[in-house]
Amino acid sequence: MAGELTLEIVTPERVTYRGTVDEVTIPGTEGEFGVLRGHAPLLASVDCGELSFLRDHTKTRFAVHSGYAEVSASRVTILVESAERADEIDRERATRAKQRAEEKLAKLRKEDSEFERAHLALIRALTRLNVSTKG
Amino acid sequence: MAALKDIKRKITAVQKTRQITRAMNMVAASKFKAAQTRMENFRPYAAKFMEVLVGLAPRLDAETHPLLAVREPQRIRVICMTSDRGLCGGFNTNLIKATERFMAEKLREGREVSLIPIGRKGRDYFRKKATLIDGRADVLSRFDMTLAADIAGDVIPPFVEAAYDELYILYNEFVNVAVHRPTVVRLFPLLSPGNGDAGGADRLRDIIYEPSAEALLEKLLPLYVHVLIYRALVETSAGENGARMAAMDNATRNCEEMIQSLTLKYNKVRQSAITAELMDIVGGTEALAKG
């Protein structure tokens, strides 16, 4: 059954995407899930990961992190702290962030309060790189 | 005529100053525009965020969540958010004064107050005057949500570990280009965001939560702190550039006035010099004619 969904990706910087799509795949905290038109109302926490949607059989990918997704029958709103389309990702910056995080992690012990933060930074950088590679 | 040369030199100097203030005004204007756009772009995010948070708030158990924990406010921390650069009128001065008043008041109540300065101006000012904790400077020229998250990352763990009891943030609320109002917002303990907004709660009632509503809320509260800090950052950056724009506009106008009055003076002195010379010549010829 084909039906259209309205997808909105909102970040503090701007509304990154607003338009109709056929299917959305969301990186939820409890695991990745797909949404089609007619989905039951859902409020899900969104993790760091790859969000993608299908439109006219082409897939568009985004690297997102930290936020939530609000789903109703014909509408999906993604509210995240950052969302970058795969072709907009600054690979150099992500690579540098990855190195920085790795250096930090090498020095820290698991108990340090900085550890968690550096770990998250590493995950974010890796997600960016990963998503941008797939294009 | 030495005076004439001096005035000329002064006029040239003021003209150069005017050139600089005018350029600064234009730079500030374009930065202000960017900051304003940013403020506008942030609004949908903030609105959406609050909508969900308010909807979830009735399920909030104020007793248990560490960010909502109310303790006897013995140790207080204050974030003072100034700009990194000066030349923006009374923008930082007003805020610093407000911060001092606020801190003095808390000290009178017998609290222990320490300060977290964000922005170079505030840090430089308070460096020797207050107990400072890890502040940040030179961050406002380019920032995004990561900065808000970093600041939150600095303040959340110590609060949860009960290293201090209350956190306030002082920043200039942006009213318009000319008006910025020093504002105090209490960050911790977080105010429960929803107060009897039954509509929001109703709308979200039949929803599947993943994970549970409580766990979701747990995750959203720190993000709410990011939102509050980010808002302060955005308003500070818009306010700073707006204030600089106004200050530089004023300065340019003052330069123009000064150039005008100096030119007038220059012409007067020049005229009187010419008159004096003419008198000399006339006097000379008359004396010759008589002789």
Side-chain angles (χ1 to χ4, degrees):
Chain A
M1 184 210 81
E4 283 186 337
L5 270 166
T6 311
L7 172 69
E8 219 179 6
I9 304 177
V10 188
T11 69
E13 313 269 310
R14 66 204 161 110
V15 177
T16 309
Y17 183 84
R18 182 185 279 149
T20 52
V21 299
D22 299 319
E23 185 189 338
V24 194
T25 309
I26 300 167
T29 324
E30 312 284 283
E32 195 178 76
F33 61 94
V35 175
L36 294 166
R37 190 187 170 83
H39 197 285
L42 168 78
L43 192 70
S45 165
V46 171
D47 237 3
C48 190
E50 175 186 314
L51 180 137
S52 62
F53 64 78
L54 268 177
R55 189 185 176 187
D56 302 330
H57 306 288
T58 47
K59 198 168 195 176
T60 311
R61 295 171 211 273
F62 289 85
V64 299
H65 88 88
S66 276
Y68 66 83
E70 197 185 350
V71 179
S72 67
S74 62
R75 191 174 187 85
V76 178
T77 309
I78 312 283
L79 212 81
V80 283
E81 293 203 339
S82 79
E84 288 156 282
R85 220 172 62 204
D87 51 3
E88 285 174 352
I89 291 172
D90 185 344
R91 285 187 63 90
E92 247 173 64
R93 194 177 150 210
T95 314
R96 261 180 284 134
K98 180 180 158 240
Q99 276 168 358
R100 253 200 324 272
E102 279 170 344
E103 279 163 23
K104 254 192 198 168
L105 282 176
K107 277 185 236 146
L108 294 165
R109 280 167 304 122
K110 225 181 158 90
E111 299 80 50
D112 292 329
S113 61
E114 286 281 312
F115 187 87
E116 184 68 5
R117 230 195 281 180
H119 187 61
L120 284 176
L122 180 63
I123 292 176
R124 277 203 298 276
L126 287 175
T127 309
R128 284 208 173 96
L129 287 173
N130 202 3
V131 171
S132 87
T133 317
K134 285 196 245 169
Chain B
M1 196 83 183
L4 210 58
K5 223 173 170 182
D6 285 346
I7 298 173
K8 187 77 194 166
R9 198 179 297 136
K10 199 152 188 194
I11 292 177
T12 322
V14 177
Q15 271 169 342
K16 277 184 186 150
T17 310
R18 179 180 64 177
Q19 213 168 23
I20 293 169
T21 57
R22 203 181 262 161
M24 281 187 76
N25 170 268
M26 283 191 289
V27 171
S30 87
K31 281 191 181 163
F32 171 70
K33 207 151 195 192
Q36 207 179 20
T37 318
R38 191 172 223 185
M39 221 158 65
E40 272 156 26
N41 286 346
F42 178 54
R43 239 168 249 154
Y45 180 84
K48 277 265 170 218
F49 192 88
M50 288 314 288
E51 197 182 296
V52 169
L53 202 60
V54 167
L56 282 171
R59 297 165 177 268
L60 208 57
D61 189 354
E63 305 283 296
T64 57
H65 199 281
L67 289 182
L68 303 167
V70 180
R71 292 188 285 264
E72 175 66 23
Q74 269 313 313
R75 287 150 304 170
I76 291 174
R77 290 191 185 178
V78 178
I79 298 180
C80 174
M81 201 178 274
T82 56
S83 71
D84 285 327
R85 288 145 174 276
L87 290 179
C88 44
F91 183 77
N92 292 318
T93 324
N94 287 341
L95 186 76
I96 286 172
K97 270 189 200 145
T99 311
E100 281 186 323
R101 264 201 305 278
F102 181 78
M103 284 168 60
E105 192 185 306
K106 291 290 173 193
L107 283 171
R108 256 204 309 283
E109 290 170 14
R111 319 281 189 229
E112 199 180 294
V113 184
S114 33
L115 190 81
I116 306 171
I118 309 286
R120 201 172 62 209
K121 285 288 156 186
R123 189 199 60 186
D124 290 354
Y125 180 85
F126 284 112
R127 184 173 274 159
K128 294 207 173 101
K129 293 192 172 83
T131 325
L132 299 191
I133 313 179
D134 44 21
R136 276 154 202 277
D138 299 316
V139 285
L140 282 162
S141 56
R142 256 190 79 171
F143 68 90
D144 56 15
M145 201 62 173
T146 325
L147 177 61
D150 279 348
I151 296 172
D154 286 340
V155 295
I156 292 178
F159 181 76
V160 172
E161 291 153 15
Y164 66 96
D165 310 308
E166 273 187 349
L167 177 70
Y168 293 86
I169 180 165
L170 276 101
Y171 67 98
N172 276 311
E173 186 193 344
F174 178 82
V175 183
N176 58 46
V177 181
V179 183
H180 334 91
R181 197 181 301 133
T183 315
V184 188
V185 175
R186 195 180 87 193
L187 278 187
F188 299 145
L190 265 180
L191 291 168
S192 188
N195 288 322
D197 188 348
D202 220 35
R203 200 176 57 78
L204 293 171
R205 199 182 41 201
D206 298 324
I207 281 185
I208 308 167
Y209 293 99
E210 189 189 290
S212 67
E214 288 72 21
L216 199 57
L217 205 54
E218 191 119 329
K219 201 186 155 204
L220 286 186
L221 280 179
L223 295 186
Y224 177 50
V225 178
H226 296 182
V227 168
L228 290 174
I229 295 175
Y230 188 77
R231 188 174 70 199
L233 284 170
V234 176
E235 298 219 1
T236 301
S237 126
E240 175 199 347
N241 287 303
R244 182 166 301 122
M245 215 168 90
M248 287 303 118
D249 194 43
N250 254 334
T252 309
R253 246 201 317 265
N254 287 344
C255 283
E256 263 152 26
E257 256 170 46
M258 206 155 157
I259 289 170
Q260 218 168 31
S261 76
L262 280 173
T263 311
L264 200 67
K265 201 166 153 200
Y266 176 80
N267 287 339
K268 266 189 195 158
V269 172
R270 181 173 158 270
Q271 190 60 55
S272 71
I274 292 170
T275 314
E277 259 170 55
L278 270 178
M279 291 300 275
D280 261 7
I281 295 167
V282 171
T285 32
E286 258 172 28
L288 280 178
K290 269 182 196 159

